[in-house]
Amino acid sequence: MKVISGSSSHMLSSALAKQLDSPIVRTENKRFPDGEKYVRILEPLDDEEVILVSNTYPDEMIVETLLLCDAIEEFNYRKLTLVIPYFGYARQDKKFNDGEPISARALVRAVEVYPDLVLTVDIHTDSIIDWFETSEARNVCGANDMARKLKEIGVDFVVSPDEGRMKTAEKVGKSVGVPSDYLVKERIDGNTVKVEPKSIAVAGKRVAIIDDIISTGGTIVTAASELKKHGASQVIAACTHGLFASNAIDRLSKCCDMIISSDTIENNKTAFSVAPAIAKEIA
Ligand code: R5P
């Protein structure tokens, strides 16, 4: 088995290679003068089971992922598993207005051409997996990896900012060994969310708010304020995919005592790896 890393997944690929006790294949990655990408695989892959770890975010990674898949296709490999740690465009999983694309489905159709197996991690909507037709696809749950980190940090309570993530909060809470609950969120627009007032027993507690994605930080900022109103002594914001768009970190830092994300998107808040969960699915 050999691991190939897309240029935005070096941290996760190394952690995964270690978990799988497999080498990382050397690649070349540069741009042509006009800005187009160039990739090259520098070691043979014949008869190998290949694990390619590559995001579909940001946009340029869609192209790089496809180019790497195509380069792999030129070898007589045994099996290609494409791990997409952060499946970009998953939040446009339906048409909100006439004339819009179903962006998540468009991405599925683009990437499924090459791999035998696609693994996503905490994909925004589970049902996106059902759109894969030509390759097998499964979503990997990063809850245990997040829980391991929260246990190390020490939290007393786990909360999801909306009912949709309640099951994940339950799973993380159970794994940490603390209670969990959820808030009721209403999204007003891309930048604004409202959290319904709700009685929640967090007074004097170190509370982790967990979400799949932090983008603008609007969801977590609103939820953290609500938890502090209920007397939470500390709020820890934890997510799988830390997009941290525009000034999200500044906004989050004002109301959260700690911000952590996984290595699906590498950034300076990356505090835990989802490699163990992915390795378990591959092994
Ligand atoms: C929404 O359903 C997701 O689970 C996240 O809560 C959302 O994408 C976070 O976005 P933002 O950080 O911009 O509020």
Side-chain angles (χ1 to χ4, degrees), residues 161-218:
D162 54 44
E163 215 172 332
R165 298 281 148 207
M166 184 184 74
K167 285 213 160 18
T168 314
E170 269 173 21
K171 195 167 178 184
V172 172
K174 209 168 162 194
S175 180
V176 178
V178 298
S180 58
D181 205 340
Y182 64 95
L183 296 169
V184 182
K185 167 176 121 177
E186 190 195 336
R187 181 165 284 286
I188 312 292
D189 58 40
N191 284 302
T192 329
V193 292
K194 221 172 91 187
V195 169
E196 298 290 321
K198 179 184 171 186
S199 167
I200 184 159
V202 293
K205 298 201 163 128
R206 290 190 92 196
V207 185
I209 320 180
I210 62 132
D211 212 345
D212 59 332
I213 300 168
I214 298 181
S215 178
T216 65

Side-chain angles (χ1 to χ4, degrees), residues 1 16 20 49 51 79 81 83 117 119 138 277-283:
M1 196 181 280
L16 185 61
L20 297 171
E49 180 170 346
I51 315 290
K79 180 181 178 183
T81 298
V83 179
L117 170 66
L119 295 178
R138 294 196 293 270
I278 299 170
K280 206 168 158 195
E281 195 66 40
I282 290 171

Side-chain angles (χ1 to χ4, degrees), residues 244-260:
F244 303 125
S246 48
N247 61 346
I249 296 287
D250 289 346
R251 297 174 72 205
L252 288 161
S253 303
K254 288 191 182 116
C255 57
C256 298
D257 300 275
M258 196 185 286
I259 306 156
I260 61 165

